Amino acid sequence: MQNNSKLVIRASEIGEYSYCSRAWWYKHVVKVEPPDGAHKGRLMTGTQAHARHGRAVAAAATLRAIGMLLAAIGLLLLALTLLMRSQ
């Protein structure tokens, strides 16, 4: 009897293996799933880190806009000052 089935490796499995080869081995070779909630702490920490980063990016964009506005006001005041002196 010949077995013509092909081995399929999914991209998600490659990602799992590169993250933790031992966890991949348990899941796909030994067929043992991690207990429920095993990664909840890491997931929550990562979610919080991404939220902090998002707030920092938003704050940086706001500060950049304020800086551009202040620079424009400064240039306007400089132009007005030079215009007043020339009269």
Side-chain angles (χ1 to χ4, degrees):
M1 179 195 248
Q2 234 179 358
N3 187 357
N4 291 333
S5 65
K6 294 181 180 180
L7 176 65
V8 175
I9 299 174
R10 293 176 178 80
S12 61
E13 289 184 45
I14 294 171
E16 288 174 8
Y17 184 85
S18 66
Y19 179 72
C20 180
S21 60
R22 178 60 68 178
W24 179 89
W25 183 79
Y26 276 121
K27 182 177 180 182
H28 297 283
V29 176
V30 182
K31 307 289 186 200
V32 174
E33 291 290 329
D36 287 340
H39 299 292
K40 283 185 181 179
R42 263 193 257 158
L43 180 63
M44 188 183 325
T45 301
T47 301
Q48 290 170 349
H50 279 94
R52 278 192 310 273
H53 177 69
R55 287 191 298 272
V57 168
T62 301
L63 289 173
R64 181 173 187 250
I66 291 170
M68 297 292 272
L69 179 62
L70 290 173
I73 291 171
L75 287 173
L76 180 63
L77 289 174
L78 178 63
L80 287 174
T81 301
L82 292 174
L83 185 64
M84 297 282 248
R85 282 188 179 177
S86 66
Q87 289 181 356

